[in-house]
Amino acid sequence: MNAPNTLPALVAAWGAAKAAESAANARRLEIEGQIVAAMPSPDPEGIVTADAGDFRVKVAYKVTRKVDTEQLQELWPSLPDNVQAVFRWKAEIKSKELRGLQQYLPDQYRLVAGTIEAKPAKPSVAVEPIEKETA
């Protein structure tokens, strides 16, 4: 029979599941590191493929790139069209300002409301030990 679904029992089950998940994740990452070490690597990007028994293993090597948007905006007017063409612009929402616009200037918010998709995010759960005071 299952343990009762009381909050303390659920928190204990959550802790056990989280520990098992962390251990499994650590082991998977360790094995992935060994797989990467066992295969040749391109320089610096690309995909390496190898067959291992009944499996095909692909290791993708990527380079993460980040743009300093403010610096690029300053340079933008002086850049040739072919240089500008390597960038794509993505609007981002400033949540605090958006909520203020919705609440205090609804007519102005309506100007852009159709361009914004809003959907609930997955609830976040945090379980932390309570620090007990010592006498």
Side-chain angles (χ1 to χ4, degrees):
M1 182 181 277
N2 290 346
N5 284 339
T6 63
L7 191 53
L10 290 169
V11 169
W14 179 91
K18 193 74 172 166
E21 176 185 37
S22 294
N25 186 57
R27 179 67 180 134
R28 179 184 55 81
L29 292 174
E30 178 184 323
I31 293 167
E32 286 179 2
Q34 292 172 3
I35 289 171
V36 167
M39 296 178 67
S41 63
D43 186 36
E45 296 177 281
I47 297 176
V48 178
T49 305
D51 291 343
D54 294 336
F55 298 92
R56 173 154 292 149
V57 179
K58 291 182 182 181
V59 177
Y61 294 84
K62 298 178 183 182
V63 174
T64 302
R65 294 172 174 89
K66 189 173 182 177
V67 176
D68 181 332
T69 302
E70 290 181 15
Q71 183 179 5
L72 181 60
Q73 286 174 330
E74 290 175 15
L75 293 173
W76 194 258
S78 66
L79 298 176
D81 290 346
N82 64 324
V83 176
Q84 289 182 359
V86 304
F87 297 95
R88 111 181 110 219
W89 295 95
K90 181 178 178 181
E92 294 181 1
I93 293 174
K94 297 177 185 175
S95 296
K96 182 179 177 182
E97 289 83 350
L98 178 70
R99 287 191 295 272
L101 192 63
Q102 285 176 297
Q103 184 174 1
Y104 300 113
L105 300 168
D107 290 339
Q108 290 183 14
Y109 170 72
R110 279 193 278 283
L111 296 172
V112 294
T115 68
I116 299 169
E117 177 184 342
K119 58 184 178 180
K122 178 185 176 286
S124 175
V125 176
V127 177
E128 300 170 351
I130 298 172
E131 292 186 27
K132 307 252 187 211
E133 289 184 27
T134 57

